[in-house]
Amino acid sequence: MSKNESNQKPTNFIHQIIEDDIQNNVHGGDVVMRFPPEPNGYLHIGHAKAICLNFGTAEKYKGICHLRFDDTNPEKESQEYIDSIISDINWLGYQWTGEIRYTSSYFDQLYSWAKHLISEGHAYVCDLSAETAREYRGGFNQPGTDSPFRNRSVEENLSLFERMKNGEFKEGACSLRAKIDMNAANMNLRDPMLYRILHTSHHQTGDKWCIYPNYDFAHGQSDSIEGVTHSLCTLEFEDHRPLYDWFIENLPVPSKPKQYEFSRLELNYTITSKRKLKQLVDDQVVTGWNDPRLPTISGLRRRGYTAASLRHFCDMIGVTRSNGIVDMGMLEAAIRDDLDSTVPRAMCVTRPLKVTLTNMEAGVEEWFELPAHPKDESMGTRRVGLTRNLLIEQEDFVEVKPPAKNKHEKWKRLALGDAVRLRGAYVITCNEVIKDATGEIIELLCTYDPATKGSNPEGYKPNGVIHWVSEELSLPCEVRLYDRLFTEANPDGDKERNFMDCLNPDSLVVLPDARVEVGLKDAPAETRYQFERTGYFCIDKDSNADKLVINRTVTLRDSWAKAKN
RNA sequence: AGGGGUAUAGCCAAGCGGUAAGGCAACGGGUUUUGAUCCCGUCAUGCGUAGGUUCAAAUCCUGCUACCCCUACCA
């Protein structure tokens, strides 16, 4: 689809609004977006949705998009998070316009606007404690009560606010509040807090400030300073929109941005709550923010997901205002779709079973030149070596074939007395099974048919095709099999049970004795492959000169596994 | 004295008064030296529910119901 065609029709309700605005010359026809993360954790798949929406919308309508760190709470934020967020956005393939913005760099302007509000009689310094203020606020069914400090004079408020800024009060001693309506049905309008005292140094502004604006007082005005036209956020901020607008109307701001809300992304069998993700990291349930089991951008990246697949996934799920839980299968479909056409094939035996080719001389090597991709010749070829001693997958052999009632249940692998094709090489027949004292199969004695290189055998038919490696001409590797982190589809949603109680004990299975074809030698971290018949894999950064470490991104679709169930 | 939202297939989602797109999943079939990919086909007389308006309603109106969000000096 050409860029022009993709612009033919709006893809979601936000785009409809923007197209109407452009049509009607609202905001002078400009489209200025922004992605405003708080640097208090790593970005996850839900943020990817917001990133694609904001940056993608700017691209689509030839507008611009800022990156702004919404850093008004120094107690929970850090430079580490800032760095990770920058890296994740770049990796996803987006570039913000101009410098990185920080809400904290608007603190002077915000402070002066707070004084403006006070001067207009729209804000006051309140000495109520947080707890008392909560009581005064009332409830959903009770009106609030005016603070006893609500009618302080402008002069007194100005003086008190300056003293707050100068550090004359302890944390919690007082706060600046907007004077709106303690009877408002919308709780956000019951004289919301604007500034609190926090004797905490800030990762960007150091010790310059001991009062910090909160989200509501900072966000819309920051949007306005940057000339943001369409300020997108998630549904839970919908009730804040009247407040957002109230500040824009009551302050001499340079532009009038509009807030629009869309629904958060929820994915089943995982969590997308920064607080809970942080708990998994802090409690060492996972190895870090980039653990491949986490739905963080860095975790998905380490798992083997591509940026393109994440962007495609975001296109697939759309943008609406209805709450839903997207099936993890959609994410998997997105990565399979990408990797199938872009990634070279290789063979890896994850749980090896020894096979001896009795009619092949020891010490002889035969090399096969196999295509890197079955449909894309431009990807070239790879060399795979065959010797007398082979390794095949344990689950690719049975002594006696299981009965098959239909073609889906047919055994298409090796069996005693049967033949099977070694992928890209010869057809072999299993003549004898060797077991140890416990009865476990430890070796297969087979013969290969020299006439079957590149052509079908005469007089008999192999069951199917299996993958293999030579024992000598292969590399040792550790394969890490990942599965869903939780056993429940909605670990977050059950109020009775804690999400920590439904962790999947098999979310990581380590296979230490896998072998992979020699072509993977020295492959750098993040190199991706399809291991034929097995799945998509990715070299992990834990690899070293002696041993590759390989993460399974996702299995291949497996109709055999389905037929068995 | 409550306020704000959302309901279209198992999941996501188009639709904007003219007779239910698409994707994921599932299920059949074809191709295949990957049980993959690819290709073909099936999958809502129905749009939370009950009424109403209309020649015509998922779309407009009214009443119900279910679910989500809101009473942080977090964002």
Side-chain angles (χ1 to χ4, degrees):
Chain A
M1 192 189 290
S2 80
K3 192 158 189 175
N4 225 2
E5 279 174 314
S6 76
N7 282 345
Q8 284 303 307
K9 52 185 155 205
T11 40
N12 59 52
F13 78 99
I14 301 275
H15 291 170
Q16 282 188 17
I17 290 167
I18 288 176
E19 289 185 18
D20 287 347
D21 286 350
I22 292 172
Q23 195 76 238
N24 300 319
N25 207 40
V26 181
H27 307 295
D30 287 342
V31 175
V32 180
M33 314 299 293
R34 113 263 87 124
F35 175 61
E38 184 193 11
N40 66 344
Y42 279 56
L43 261 25
H44 55 64
I45 185 74
H47 295 106
K49 175 178 177 177
I51 290 167
C52 291
L53 212 213
N54 282 295
F55 286 94
T57 298
E59 268 174 20
K60 181 177 171 104
Y61 295 105
K62 301 186 169 47
I64 64 175
C65 185
H66 297 156
L67 167 60
R68 179 173 79 237
F69 286 102
D70 205 359
D71 54 351
T72 57
N73 186 7
E75 290 184 317
K76 290 188 174 167
E77 300 158 3
S78 75
Q79 188 63 41
E80 179 201 348
Y81 295 135
I82 290 176
D83 295 341
S84 75
I85 289 167
I86 291 170
S87 149
D88 286 346
I89 295 171
N90 278 149
W91 178 74
L92 272 175
Y94 291 109
Q95 184 58 53
W96 48 91
T97 306
E99 297 297 300
I100 293 175
R101 324 290 169 120
Y102 293 85
T103 299
S104 56
S105 66
Y106 309 140
F107 280 173
D108 283 305
Q109 176 64 268
L110 259 8
Y111 178 75
S112 118
W113 277 335
K115 286 195 293 188
H116 177 90
L117 235 34
I118 293 172
S119 302
E120 300 287 308
H122 286 321
Y124 61 98
V125 173
C126 180
D127 297 356
L128 254 27
S129 69
E131 191 185 349
T132 312
R134 181 158 44 242
E135 287 163 14
Y136 273 73
R137 192 154 35 233
F140 291 143
N141 291 298
Q142 295 90 260
T145 307
D146 284 359
S147 161
F149 306 100
R150 199 171 200 259
N151 293 312
R152 291 217 256 225
S153 70
V154 167
E155 292 67 32
E156 187 183 5
N157 280 322
L158 249 14
S159 156
L160 251 16
F161 187 48
E162 178 155 4
R163 291 175 61 198
M164 277 172 66
K165 187 195 76 163
N166 292 340
E168 294 184 33
F169 306 115
K170 290 197 302 250
E171 288 186 9
C174 53
S175 64
L176 184 71
R177 298 175 68 180
K179 190 191 284 190
I180 306 182
D181 179 5
M182 288 307 290
N183 294 326
N186 183 340
M187 289 297 196
N188 295 120
L189 267 21
R190 317 251 262 225
D191 287 12
M193 197 275 296
L194 270 34
Y195 263 93
R196 75 273 204 187
I197 298 169
L198 229 47
H199 291 283
T200 300
S201 69
H202 188 283
H203 48 96
Q204 301 303 310
T205 59
D207 294 321
K208 179 175 179 185
W209 297 91
C210 64
I211 58 171
Y212 293 96
N214 73 163
Y215 169 86
D216 287 307
F217 191 67
H219 205 95
Q221 289 88 300
S222 299
D223 284 339
S224 178
I225 290 169
E226 295 179 6
V228 168
T229 54
H230 304 264
S231 178
L232 311 184
C233 62
T234 43
L235 248 27
E236 68 270 24
F237 291 101
E238 191 162 16
D239 289 344
H240 294 242
R241 193 172 62 223
L243 224 204
Y244 184 106
D245 292 339
W246 189 86
F247 290 127
I248 296 299
E249 288 309 316
N250 287 285
L251 256 16
V253 293
S255 74
K256 293 186 187 301
K258 285 288 193 183
Q259 172 181 309
Y260 300 96
E261 311 85 18
F262 62 95
S263 58
R264 273 187 124 79
L265 167 64
E266 301 278 357
L267 255 190
N268 63 10
Y269 294 102
T270 191
I271 52 169
T272 45
S273 147
K274 266 199 247 181
R275 204 201 94 236
K276 288 173 181 169
L277 288 169
K278 187 171 189 304
Q279 191 183 338
L280 292 174
V281 173
D282 290 344
D283 292 358
Q284 298 183 20
V285 171
V286 295
T287 57
W289 283 99
N290 66 347
D291 188 290
R293 290 167 291 184
L294 256 25
T296 51
I297 308 282
S298 52
L300 291 164
R301 176 179 180 180
R302 190 172 176 189
R303 174 86 168 246
Y305 277 81
T306 57
S309 72
L310 262 28
R311 281 189 257 111
H312 180 219
F313 171 72
C314 290
D315 282 343
M316 288 167 78
I317 59 173
V319 178
T320 68
R321 289 173 60 86
S322 60
N323 287 309
I325 301 179
V326 175
D327 196 306
M328 188 64 92
M330 278 235 223
L331 225 204
E332 295 178 347
I335 187 60
R336 286 191 186 107
D337 182 58
D338 183 11
L339 264 22
D340 174 62
S341 59
T342 57
V343 128
R345 312 288 122 126
M347 290 190 286
C348 175
V349 175
T350 58
R351 296 178 176 90
L353 170 61
K354 187 174 162 66
V355 170
T356 301
L357 262 23
T358 54
N359 60 339
M360 187 163 195
E361 217 175 299
V364 170
E365 296 178 2
E366 179 167 1
W367 289 88
F368 295 83
E369 190 93 4
L370 305 183
H373 192 284
K375 291 183 176 175
D376 186 354
E377 278 186 34
S378 74
M379 292 179 71
T381 59
R382 63 195 153 108
R383 277 162 55 82
V384 181
L386 178 80
T387 58
R388 176 183 169 91
N389 301 314
L390 301 182
L391 266 10
I392 68 167
E393 207 70 63
Q394 284 171 21
E395 65 172 21
D396 282 342
F397 176 78
V398 286
E399 287 187 81
V400 182
K401 285 192 282 188
K405 291 188 293 290
N406 58 53
K407 70 168 192 172
H408 300 295
E409 294 176 6
K410 182 178 177 288
W411 182 254
K412 295 171 74 171
R413 311 175 183 195
L414 189 58
L416 179 57
D418 275 355
V420 78
R421 162 77 67 180
L422 293 181
R423 173 66 162 160
Y426 298 109
V427 172
I428 63 170
T429 298
C430 179
N431 306 304
E432 192 177 339
V433 177
I434 298 175
K435 300 178 182 176
D436 65 11
T438 67
E440 193 185 338
I441 299 171
I442 54 169
E443 184 181 353
L444 267 22
L445 300 183
C446 302
T447 48
Y448 78 99
D449 182 344
T452 56
K453 181 176 176 179
S455 60
N456 289 326
E458 284 178 32
Y460 65 100
K461 210 169 179 300
N463 288 337
V465 182
I466 64 172
H467 60 279
W468 56 278
V469 294
S470 152
E471 193 163 25
E472 298 85 1
L473 305 176
S474 63
L475 268 20
C477 60
E478 173 181 311
V479 168
R480 295 177 181 171
L481 266 20
Y482 295 102
D483 198 359
R484 51 181 61 145
L485 228 202
F486 295 96
T487 53
E488 301 296 321
N490 188 6
D492 224 356
D494 194 332
K495 290 176 177 69
E496 304 303 308
R497 197 199 39 239
N498 190 281
F499 74 104
M500 289 294 237
D501 295 333
C502 43
L503 286 163
N504 176 10
D506 301 317
S507 61
L508 169 60
V509 173
V510 176
L511 270 18
D513 302 314
R515 310 278 308 193
V516 68
E517 61 184 64
V518 289
L520 271 73
K521 187 164 171 51
D522 302 325
E526 292 192 18
T527 310
R528 301 179 182 86
Y529 298 89
Q530 183 201 96
F531 290 162
E532 291 188 290
R533 303 206 317 129
T534 309
Y536 294 98
F537 292 79
C538 170
I539 307 293
D540 191 83
K541 64 186 176 67
D542 285 350
S543 298
N544 58 46
D546 295 326
K547 194 176 202 180
L548 287 165
V549 175
I550 303 176
N551 298 322
R552 184 175 69 193
T553 308
V554 66
T555 61
L556 255 30
R557 282 180 60 213
D558 188 352
S559 57
W560 168 247
K562 267 183 223 156
K564 281 191 295 186
N565 294 330

